[in-house]
């Protein structure tokens, strides 16, 4: 049913009287109410219902049934129009005196109240009450008279009188929520600010928080100034005056339903959190430190309930800034009570301010809690671990969070998770000494691995000032493994550095010195010998990739680099010193573990084109294999196409139809030689090109037969130029010169060819090189066609082309046709003359496809 149905029923009711009219109007009211119940009502539904109720009230009045008229009149008053309807409002005012026999007295009392004659207004209302004439419909008017009076006389009335009048109001049966009810609450709020004996919280509960209107929950604006909502001012007063109440219960009473004009779920608690923040902030500002700490404690006990919100995060930030130095110990318990699970996504984002970047509150909070653990023992770490896990998820680039999470896992007894994190960090931190030192502490139960990681750290670090802990740890492990000289070297290097910097040497060093003789020297070669185990362990999850040594060259700084490739696009050029090798033969296969990164290169000339993404690889570790030289590259065959004698460069075409070039003595090759080599995809700038390495001439031509043969038709023979032309399809054709083959085919003959192709970069076309050419009995049906039909002669004239049937008898005998057609097939003049065709006739033709059109080779008259 729709709104229009309600209006239609009202029209039908106009011609009815008495109970029939009432029944029809009630039907319309029922339809409107059903529309509302189904959630489909709008302003037009309200208007339709209002006019049905108006008609019902009028009909009951005409029947003298004031009781029912009053019932439906009250329903009419309860319709809440989004925008006031003047016509409906006028009807309400028109009907009121007809229903309310006390209307004149009530109206008089209201006018007296509005004129500030409050005693007279109250006197009149008390007479109505005493005579029992004050009906429920008058309660709203009486409530306004009370409100105007106490507001006007607020400075003269004592607290007991004010509370009495408010109690009288609370006992009225007027509509709630309503503007009047909200005005009464606003009065109570303002009154409580000046009268300490007035309990705002008790009054608010008596008033009932469920009566808050939409307008009471939203801020407003007046003359450009923001006016805080009524409920926000209530909450601020409750916080400022230190009212004691159950926060969860309060929130439940004042909660903003999600359907209530789009309020978010956290707004209610933030009405309390915001003023609490400013109250706490003022304690800091006025340096009331005891009150500040108490405030933080009170907050976590009462406001650390879900949901997360902006003001909850601001309280955390305030605590983090203040709980420093001698008060830093307070933060760990505060943060735990604050509930880190309420950190928002925004809390993990760095802050940009005044061209500077500041750490997010999420990162600062977890790190401050972590610092606490360095000097304090805590048993419950699960909550902090979860916070760190969320931080790592939100800030995947933050290595510090990952490292500290690994330490937390270790402290919590989950060493496997710690090791997993450090393995994941390997690609980011493999060149950082502190990474290997920290990792070594996680594998102390494996002494060989522990030692290997310490060696790796010592090998990387160039500044001895940062190696104190590493050297001591190395000395201890070397001594335990009976490597006394190596232990003495580490201990000597440690002491020399401490003495040079005038740093204190601990008693544990003296104990070691009593067992180990100091030795001058270096353990660098020992580090190199032992570091492999650490590398293998850290990079264990990465695959080994076989790369072939393809060249050696000097970089721009004059350093020797060795080039390696997998032949398919992965290339690296590490410095020679990366390898613990003196020499390496070309083609040698090594296994590498690689770090892969993606790099964006913006080389486009147009801003709307996307930048290119290329992959780069850096070697982490390597090992020598026993594989044969070049064995991991694919074999590739090619045909020599051209020899540049001046530059000693050989041009060839591979069997995969790609041009390659290589330097060689021109005497070693000749055109059309079959060669083979190992195929690699070599990086050339930002692109790749195919290259052959380990090239050699093939002793026979067997490999040529790997090229797939194609069936072609000869569509033209030019004896004067000693060549013929062939066609494979619309995209492939070519020319063969007589000196390149012993074949002398005729037009229409089929041949079998093997071809390679290359691109003519200057002309932008593809050229085909014939490798073999042979006779064949095979036929390509797509290139040959035989058909029958009428041969229609055509004659050229000054007036265009004429048909045979347009000629007179004399012309038929004297003229020769210039060409003919059989359907879409063009027949040249020489074929007409050859078969002496003088008139239209039926025949059979044989045609070949030259790649773009059909060419008639011969015909036969039927």
């Amino acid at each position: 049913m729709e709104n229009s149905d309600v209006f239609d029923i009202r029209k039908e009711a106009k011609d009815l009287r008495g109970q029939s009219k009432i029944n029809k109007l009630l039907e319309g009211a029922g339809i409107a109410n059903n529309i509302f119940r189904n959630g489909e009502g709008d302003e037009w539904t309200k208007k339709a219902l209002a006019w049905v109720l108006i008609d019902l009230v009028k009909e009951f009045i005409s029947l003298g049934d004031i009781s029912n008229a009053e019932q439906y009149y009250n329903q009419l008053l309860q319709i809440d129009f989004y925008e006031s309807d003047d016509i409906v409002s006028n009807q309400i005012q028109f009907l009121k005196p007809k229903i309310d026999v006390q209307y004149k007295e009530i109206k008089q009392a209201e006018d007296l109240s509005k004129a500030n004659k409050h005693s007279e207004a109250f006197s009149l209302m008390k007479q109505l009450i005493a005579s029992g004439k004050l009906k429920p419909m008058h309660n709203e008017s009486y409530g306004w008279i009370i409100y105007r009076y106490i507001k006007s006389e607020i400075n003269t009335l004592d607290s007991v009188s004010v509370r009495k009048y408010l109690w009288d109001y609370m006992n009225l049966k007027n509509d709630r929520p309503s503007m009047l009810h909200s005005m009464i609450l606003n009065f109570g709020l303002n009154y409580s600010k000046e009268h300490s004996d007035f309990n705002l919280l008790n009054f608010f509960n008596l008033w009932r928080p469920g009566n808050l209107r939409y307008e009471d929950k939203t801020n407003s604006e007046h003359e450009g100034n923001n006016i805080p909502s009524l409920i926000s001012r209530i909450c601020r007063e409750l916080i400022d005056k230190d009212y004691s109440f159950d926060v969860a219960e309060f929130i439940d009473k004042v909660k903003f339903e999600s359907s209530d004009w789009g309020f978010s779920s956290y707004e209610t608690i933030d009405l309390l959190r915001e003023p609490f923040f400013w109250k706490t902030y003022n304690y800091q500002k006025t340096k009331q430190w005891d009150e500040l700490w108490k405030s933080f404690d009170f907050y976590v006990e009462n406001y650390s309930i879900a949901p997360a919100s902006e003001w909850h995060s601001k309280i955390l930030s305030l605590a983090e800034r203040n709980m420093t130095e001698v008060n830093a110990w307070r933060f760990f318990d505060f943060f735990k009570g604050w509930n880190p699970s309420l950190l928002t996504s925004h809390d993990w984002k760095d802050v940009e301010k005044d061209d500077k970047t500041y750490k997010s509150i999420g990162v600062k909070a977890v790190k401050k809690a972590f610092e606490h653990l360095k000097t304090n023992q805590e048993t419950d770490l699960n909550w902090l671990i979860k916070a760190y896990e969320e931080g790592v998820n939100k800030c995947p680039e933050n290595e510090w969070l990952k490292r500290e999470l690994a330490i937390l896992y270790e402290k919590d007894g989950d060493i496997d998770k710690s090791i997993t994190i450090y393995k994941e960090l390997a690609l980011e931190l493999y060149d950082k000494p502190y990474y290997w030192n920290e990792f070594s502490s996680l594998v102390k139960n494996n002494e060989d691995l522990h030692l290997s990681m310490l060696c790796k750290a010592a090998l990387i670090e160039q500044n001895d000032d940062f190696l104190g802990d590493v050297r001591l740890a190395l000395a201890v492990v070397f001594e335990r493994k009976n490597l006394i000289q190596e232990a003495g070297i580490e201990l000597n290097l440690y002491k020399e550095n401490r003495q040079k910097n005038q740093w204190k040497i601990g008693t544990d060093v003296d104990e070691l010195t009593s067992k180990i003789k100091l030795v001058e020297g270096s353990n660098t070669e020992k580090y190199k010998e032992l570091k492999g185990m650490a590398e293998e362990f850290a990079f264990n999850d990465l695959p080994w990739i076989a790369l072939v040594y393809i060249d050696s060259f000097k970089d721009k700084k004059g350093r020797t680099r060795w080039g390696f490739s997998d032949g398919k696009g992965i290339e690296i050029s590490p410095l020679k010193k990366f390898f613990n090798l003196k020499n390496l033969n070309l083609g040698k296969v090594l296994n590498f573990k690689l770090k892969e990164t993606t790099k964006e290169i913006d080389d486009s000339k147009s801003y709307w084109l996307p930048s290119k993404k290329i992959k780069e690889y850096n070697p982490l570790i390597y090992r020598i294999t026993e594989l044969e030289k070049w064995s991991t590259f694919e074999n590739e065959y090619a045909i020599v196409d051209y020899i540049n004698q001046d530059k000693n460069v050989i041009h060839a075409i591979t069997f995969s139809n790609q041009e390659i070039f290589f330097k060689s003595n021109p005497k070693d090759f000749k055109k059309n030689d079959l060669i083979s080599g190992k195929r690699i995809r070599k990086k050339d700038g930002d692109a790749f090109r195919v290259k052959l390495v380990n090239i050699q001439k093939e002793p026979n031509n067997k490999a040529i037969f790997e090229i797939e043969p194609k069936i072609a038709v000869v569509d033209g023979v030019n004896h004067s130029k000693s060549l013929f032309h062939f066609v494979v399809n619309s995209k492939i054709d070519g020319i063969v010169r007589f000196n390149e083959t012993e074949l002398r085919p005729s037009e229409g003959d089929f041949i079998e060819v093997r071809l390679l192709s290359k691109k003519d970069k200057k002309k932008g076309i593809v050229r085909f090189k014939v490798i073999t050419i042979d006779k064949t009995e095979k036929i390509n049906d797509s290139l040959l066609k035989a058909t029958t039909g009428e041969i229609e002669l055509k004659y050229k004239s000054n007036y265009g082309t004429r048909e045979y049937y347009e000629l007179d008898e004399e012309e038929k005998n004297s003229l020769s046709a210039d060409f003919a057609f059989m359907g879409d097939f063009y027949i040249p003049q020489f074929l007409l003359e050859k078969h002496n065709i003088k008139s239209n006739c039926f025949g059979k033709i044989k045609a070949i496809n030259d790649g773009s059109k059909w060419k008639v080779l011969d015909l036969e008259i039927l």
Side-chain angles (χ1 to χ4, degrees), residues 502-663:
Q502 297 182 348
W503 292 341
K504 183 179 177 181
I505 298 176
T507 56
D508 53 340
V509 177
D510 293 332
E511 184 180 342
L512 274 173
T513 306
S514 65
K515 296 188 292 182
I516 303 171
K517 181 181 178 181
L518 299 182
V519 179
E520 291 192 2
S522 168
N523 280 329
T524 299
E525 293 305 314
K526 196 67 176 180
Y527 301 154
K528 291 179 180 179
E529 175 190 337
L530 297 177
K531 71 182 178 70
M533 188 177 186
E535 294 171 335
E536 291 267 2
F537 185 80
F539 304 129
N540 181 60
D541 296 334
L542 294 176
W544 286 104
I545 296 177
L547 301 181
V548 178
Y549 175 45
I550 57 174
D551 59 11
S552 174
F553 61 93
K554 298 280 187 181
D555 62 17
K556 293 179 180 179
K557 295 182 179 180
R559 299 171 301 182
T560 300
R561 290 185 176 272
W562 285 356
F564 291 81
S565 171
D566 72 340
K568 300 174 183 178
I570 296 179
E571 290 185 24
I572 59 171
S573 302
L575 292 170
K576 181 182 178 182
K577 68 178 184 180
F578 173 81
F579 302 91
N580 193 22
L581 302 169
K582 291 184 178 180
N583 292 299
L584 202 61
N585 293 324
L586 285 176
K588 183 64 178 176
V589 182
L590 272 62
N591 277 336
F592 288 87
K593 292 204 173 190
L594 305 174
K595 177 183 179 181
E596 178 184 313
T597 55
T598 300
K599 181 180 179 182
E600 286 196 13
I601 298 180
D602 187 6
D603 63 348
S604 61
K605 296 180 180 178
S606 301
Y607 66 88
W608 60 84
L609 292 177
S611 56
K612 289 183 179 179
K613 292 184 178 181
I614 62 171
K615 290 183 178 180
E616 293 185 342
Y617 301 89
N618 289 312
L620 301 170
I621 56 175
Y622 75 94
R623 66 184 181 192
I624 297 173
T625 74
E626 298 302 320
L627 296 173
E628 291 186 15
K629 289 196 301 181
W630 309 104
S631 60
T632 58
F633 284 178
E634 295 179 2
N635 288 322
E636 179 74 278
Y637 292 99
I639 297 291
V640 175
D641 184 49
Y642 172 73
I643 299 175
N644 189 323
Q645 302 284 348
D646 296 332
K647 296 182 178 181
N648 295 336
V649 175
I650 313 298
H651 297 224
I653 305 173
T654 69
F655 279 20
S656 55
N657 295 310
Q658 290 175 311
E659 270 194 288
I660 61 166
F661 310 91
F662 60 93
K663 282 186 172 287

Side-chain angles (χ1 to χ4, degrees), residues 117 292 423 498 601:
K117 297 179 180 180
L292 178 66
K423 280 189 173 184
R498 303 296 285 189
I601 298 180

